[in-house]
Structure formats: structure tokens, C-alpha cells
Amino acid sequence: MKKLKFIHQSSGMHWVGDGFPVRSVFSYDNLGRELDPFLLLDYAAPHEFAPTTRRRGVGAHPHRGFETVTFSFQGEVEHRDSSGGGGKIGPGDVQWMTAASGLLHEEFHSEDFARRGGVFEMAQLWVNLPARDKSAAPRYQTLLKQDIPVVDLPDGAGTLRVVAGEFGGHKGPAQTFTPINAWDLQLKVGKFAQLLVPEGHTTALLVLRGSLLIDGDTAAKEGALAVFEREGKDLVFQATEDSHVLLLGGQPLNEPIVGQGPFVMNSQQEILEAFHDFQKGKMGAL
């Protein structure tokens, strides 16, 4: 049985650009060792946007050394990057962008969503790359809702969408460099979820909506991140309300993490090289 290690509460809301009102759930500065290979998680809780003709979002900026994974729950985002990747994601879709050796990208609300307005809700995860793959070519994956397997949990506990990894014989569509599980769960009040996860992997639950009871007596409410010990395979918890939960699991890299701004590498020298390459235009242009 996997035991709870600690509960971490996300910080207050701040804006990323003018389109993403996010809570910083964690970053590598405070939980890098415990959540390896995950570097950062921002959650844009439901927010109502009025109709507009203005572009809302974040303009061109660089990344190197990791991947960004954007989960769309409500609203739409359009992405474009200097490697030629791009696309639009809406409710239930996921985009998996591999920055690796470096690129520029931009993220804006889609024109259709901006024009009509509405509720916007998303989460963005940064996944570290092993040192051997930080120089790989950039890549972009659009994972559409209809291509993400949905599995019914036993005893009517709810459903689980397999974005990455495998659950119950169903494989997620995301291609990953190291073993990663990204599961999107909808849970019914009063029911227990019993999940089998890999021994030795980092495992964490982000409560997007509702609340959970873990280890029989510890509550994890909306915005909380429950981090588990790496020992054990059986993960059991109860939904005390109808709940929406994101499970993140992955094999730790156990490599140095050195980051500054949009770059995450293994040494300070590599960070300096990243800034130099960006300034020289080696990460392309939009």
C-alpha cells in the first residue's frame, strides 16, 4: 500500500500573460526532489472571460530541456512554435510539447473562444527530460479527447482517462521519453478508488474539484496536492464529494536540476549556453 507523504496546498492566484489566471501548485524550486521527474504545475481554476476581439494569452517565449503538457478542461487554447508545431485544444484535449533542444512558442485563447467568451479551466505540467534527451529535436503532440481511453473504475467509483502510461490494459496516446502516467479521474462521492501504480515511481494527486480522504483520516481539498511515498504499488483513497482529480506518476530521473526562467538543464553552464543560443536566434523564430 502506498502511504501518504504530505499534502501541499497550492499558492494564491497570479496571471500568466493576460489569459491564464493560475495557481502555482508546485515548482522544482520547492519540490523538485520529491516530485522528480515533474518540474512545475500551474492550475488555471475556472474563470469567466467576457467576449473580446483582443488576443488573450502569452506571446513568443523560449523553452529548453523539458516538456510542457497542457490539459484543457474548459475553453480553448491555440499553440504555435518555432519548430512548426501547433494546433488548437478544447475541453478534454491535451497538448504535449517537447521543447528539448529549444524552441519559441506562444499560447493564446482561440479566436472562437475569445469572441464568444465563457469559462476557462486548464492545467499545465512541466515534465523534465533526462540529460541524454535534452538535446533532442522539439516535438508537438495534439492528444484529442476522442483518442484518450476512458476506463470505468470498479464498483461504480467513477472513470479514469489514460492520457499517458497505462491503466487496466488501456494505453494513453502520449509518447514519452521516460515512463509517465497522467490520468484524469472523475470520482463519485463516497466511493473508493483503488489504483495500481508502479513501484518506486513518484505519485501525486491534484484535487481540481471536490475532496478526498487519504489513509483513512487525512483530507485533501480543492487545490491540494497529495504526494505519496515511492514504496508500494496499491493506491487507495475515497472521494468525500464528487471529485475531479489529476494523477501524476513517473520514474524519477535522479539527475541534477538547474533551472532559470524558461530553461531547465543539469548545470549552470548549460543554462548560460541556453541563454546564449536564444539570444543568437538558435531556437528559431515565429
Side-chain angles (χ1 to χ4, degrees):
M1 184 80 70
K2 270 195 181 292
K3 293 295 185 181
L4 180 69
K5 190 173 184 180
F6 60 85
I7 299 284
H8 177 76
Q9 195 68 35
S10 58
S11 67
M13 190 271 284
H14 69 278
W15 285 87
V16 175
D18 63 357
F20 308 108
V22 305
R23 303 176 188 175
S24 291
V25 180
F26 69 84
S27 74
Y28 55 85
D29 290 329
N30 57 12
L31 291 176
R33 184 182 300 274
E34 289 84 355
L35 290 169
D36 179 14
F38 305 114
L39 296 169
L40 177 147
L41 180 61
D42 281 344
Y43 173 48
H47 182 89
E48 182 84 31
F49 283 92
T52 183
T53 57
R54 181 166 53 89
R55 295 186 83 199
R56 289 194 180 110
V58 182
H61 57 283
H63 288 302
R64 173 179 280 182
F66 59 96
E67 303 180 287
T68 66
V69 183
T70 304
F71 301 85
S72 174
F73 305 119
Q74 301 183 75
E76 294 178 343
V77 163
E78 290 180 337
H79 162 94
R80 185 167 67 106
D81 67 51
S82 58
S83 75
K88 179 171 71 174
I89 58 170
D93 301 336
V94 177
Q95 73 173 22
W96 201 294
M97 185 195 79
T98 304
S101 60
L103 50 62
L104 304 184
H105 82 137
E106 64 180 22
E107 298 168 292
F108 288 96
H109 293 186
S110 73
E111 290 186 12
D112 289 343
F113 176 77
R115 185 166 51 249
R116 68 176 180 265
V119 178
F120 187 90
E121 180 188 9
M122 304 224 173
Q124 186 172 92
L125 173 71
W126 289 13
V127 180
N128 202 8
L129 289 171
R132 66 176 184 270
D133 295 315
K134 287 183 180 289
S135 58
R139 180 175 69 187
Y140 178 82
Q141 303 174 69
T142 298
L143 312 177
L144 298 177
K145 178 180 179 180
Q146 61 263 32
D147 298 324
I148 298 173
V150 180
V151 184
D152 291 326
L153 297 174
D155 193 32
T159 59
L160 182 154
R161 297 198 315 142
V162 189
V163 176
E166 183 175 355
F167 180 82
H170 298 267
K171 292 185 177 181
Q175 300 177 37
T176 65
F177 285 79
T178 57
I180 298 289
N181 284 322
W183 301 340
D184 182 9
L185 296 91
Q186 298 283 348
L187 304 172
K188 298 293 187 181
V189 59
K191 297 291 187 177
F192 284 88
Q194 302 183 41
L195 310 176
L196 188 65
V197 295
E199 175 80 34
H201 280 206
T202 295
T203 305
L205 299 173
L206 173 64
V207 182
L208 302 169
R209 174 178 51 83
S211 62
L212 306 178
L213 193 64
I214 301 171
D215 286 354
D217 59 0
T218 303
K221 298 182 180 296
E222 183 176 314
L225 183 77
V227 180
F228 293 83
E229 301 285 354
R230 290 182 179 143
E231 295 75 22
K233 296 182 179 181
D234 295 307
L235 184 64
V236 181
F237 51 93
Q238 183 182 25
T240 52
E241 303 174 57
D242 286 345
S243 298
H244 184 191
V245 177
L246 196 61
L247 180 144
L248 304 175
Q251 184 179 73
L253 302 182
N254 296 316
E255 295 179 348
I257 299 172
V258 180
Q260 186 171 340
F263 307 130
V264 181
M265 304 299 292
N266 300 110
S267 70
Q268 188 60 40
Q269 179 58 39
E270 290 174 327
I271 293 293
L272 295 175
E273 290 171 1
F275 276 103
H276 181 266
D277 288 348
F278 166 59
Q279 292 163 357
K280 294 292 185 180
K282 293 183 178 181
M283 295 185 187
L286 290 175

